[in-house]
Amino acid sequence: MSKPVLGFNPASAIGYIGQTVFVELVWEGDPEPIWRLKHIVGVVLPVQGVNEVGYFLTLPVIGSADFPDEIYFDSIHTIRAIRDRHIPIRVLGRLPLPQLTQGQATQGERRHA
């Protein structure tokens, strides 16, 4: 998996505050990206010598959390603001799904994950 290439400047990062986003996260050494649907409630911008990598403060769309999570800018491969409630369904429909079974079942045989 390639290293994330998105760069956020203060104006673009701050523009996501209050948005619901669909985000693809990738970490070095981890071959599989993960997708999350999050509300962005804040942003911490990088400050040289203090915080080298900025991050978003996020809350889950489904469920609840007592405190926001961090999504660091350098782990974001793709980010899309959700303005249409059907977008996540269309995007998820195009993602490759992992195989749930090992091998193919022959006639009369069932295999369960």
Side-chain angles (χ1 to χ4, degrees), residues 84-105:
D84 175 355
R85 64 187 177 121
H86 298 293
I87 287 175
I89 295 167
R90 288 194 302 251
V91 172
L92 286 172
R94 291 188 302 220
L95 292 177
L97 297 176
Q99 293 297 326
L100 299 177
T101 60
Q102 300 291 335
Q104 299 293 324

Side-chain angles (χ1 to χ4, degrees), residues 1-112:
M1 180 60 58
S2 63
K3 177 107 173 103
V5 295
L6 291 180
F8 292 98
N9 61 41
S12 66
I14 290 170
Y16 282 102
I17 295 175
Q19 299 285 325
T20 299
V21 297
F22 198 50
V23 63
E24 176 188 22
L25 303 171
V26 177
W27 293 275
E28 189 174 321
D30 193 353
E32 296 294 321
I34 62 170
W35 291 86
R36 295 289 184 256
L37 192 58
K38 296 283 193 169
H39 292 298
I40 295 185
V41 296
V43 65
V44 175
L45 298 174
V47 176
Q48 189 174 8
V50 177
N51 187 42
E52 299 299 323
V53 179
Y55 56 91
F56 290 114
L57 296 169
T58 67
L59 291 173
V61 172
I62 299 171
S64 63
D66 292 332
F67 302 101
D69 293 323
E70 299 95 6
I71 295 181
Y72 285 85
F73 295 162
D74 63 354
S75 64
I76 297 173
H77 191 267
T78 306
I79 187 168
R80 299 281 184 256
I82 304 299
R83 292 176 181 86
D84 175 355
R85 64 187 177 121
H86 298 293
I87 287 175
I89 295 167
R90 288 194 302 251
V91 172
L92 286 172
R94 291 188 302 220
L95 292 177
L97 297 176
Q99 293 297 326
L100 299 177
T101 60
Q102 300 291 335
Q104 299 293 324
T106 58
Q107 185 175 359
E109 177 184 358
R110 290 187 181 182
R111 295 192 184 202
H112 299 279

